[in-house]
Amino acid sequence: MAASSGRSLAEVQRRVSEVHHGTDLEQQLRFYDGWAAEYEQDVIILHYEAPKLAASCLASVFQGPSADALVLDVACGTGLVAQELQAKGFCRFHGLDGSQGMLDHARRKGLYQELKQCMLGQEALPASSGFYNAVLMVGALSEGQVPTSVIPELLRVTKPGGFVCMTTRNNQSNLKYKKQMLQLLDDLEQRGLWEKIRVQEVEQWERATAEQEATGGSGYISGVVYLYQKTPSVGF
Ligand SMILES: C[S@@+](CC[C@H](N)C(=O)[O-])C[C@H]1O[C@@H](n2cnc3c(N)ncnc32)[C@H](O)[C@@H]1O
C-alpha cells in the first residue's frame, strides 16, 4: 500500500462524504476517476482495512491450492484486494470496475491478468456462469454505490462449491441498504443456492466521515464481512 499523504483527516473525510451523497452513476465514477491517484494514501488515513479483512476471511476457509484459484475482484478499485490476497498465496486475478481511472491504477500493479470496465448493477457481469473459484466485492456494497441487484450476479459467476465474500457498513445512513442486502442474502440461502459460512462483525471498520455516523462517539463506523459458499450441486 502507498505511504500516507500529507492530507488531514478532515480533508479526506470531506472528499469521501461526497461519494455517498446521492450523485448519479456517471458523476460517481467521475469522482472515482479523480480520486484514483490519491485513493490509497487517503484510505490509510481513514484506517480502511476492509481489503485485508476480506482476504483473511477468504484465505481462512479456502480449500485446495490458493495459487490455482481464479479470483474475481468486483469493484476492484486500485487493486488493494488482489494485493492482500497475493500476500496469502493467491495469484490469478480478474478485476471489474466502472471507473477507468481506478482500473488504470489497478493495471499498474501488474497483479490482474484481466481488467474490464463494467457498470455494476446496470449490466450482467462479463463472465460465464460458474467460472470463478472465489468472487469478492469489497467496499462497494453500500448506499449510493452499487445496488444489491449485483449480488445474484456474484453468485452466478462463482463455481459450484466456490466462495463469495462481500463487505458492507453498519453506519446510520447505510442501515436501509444493509437490511435489503441481508434479505437478499437470506433469500438466496433459503432457495438452497448458497450457504452462509462466516459473518465477521468489525467494530472499528474505518474512521467515520461525519460524527453522526460514528458508533457511540468512537469516531469509527462498524462494518461486516460476509462469506458464502455456493451449493456444490447447484446447476449454474
Ligand atoms: C470504495 S472503492 C473500493 C475499491 C476496492 N474494492 C477497495 O476495497 O479498495 C469502490 C469502487 O467501486 C467502484 N464503483 C462504485 N459504484 C460502481 C458501479 N455502480 N459500477 C461500477 N463500479 C462502481 C468505484 O469506481 C470504486 O473503484
Side-chain angles (χ1 to χ4, degrees), residues 27-38:
Q27 269 179 297
Q28 196 187 332
L29 295 177
R30 232 180 295 126
F31 168 88
Y32 275 110
D33 284 342
W35 193 17
E38 290 169 337

Side-chain angles (χ1 to χ4, degrees), residues 51-108:
K52 183 179 272 182
L53 292 164
S56 298
C57 186
L58 176 66
S60 70
V61 300
F62 195 82
Q63 299 127 4
S66 45
D68 292 343
L70 184 57
V71 176
L72 179 65
D73 182 5
V74 181
C76 61
T78 58
L80 292 178
V81 170
Q83 207 171 299
E84 294 293 344
L85 282 171
Q86 189 197 33
K88 301 202 171 290
F90 292 84
C91 56
R92 298 176 66 211
F93 303 108
H94 291 176
L96 300 174
D97 202 280
S99 156
Q100 192 55 53
M102 291 297 227
L103 287 169
D104 291 344
H105 279 265
R107 186 162 291 112
R108 280 180 223 147

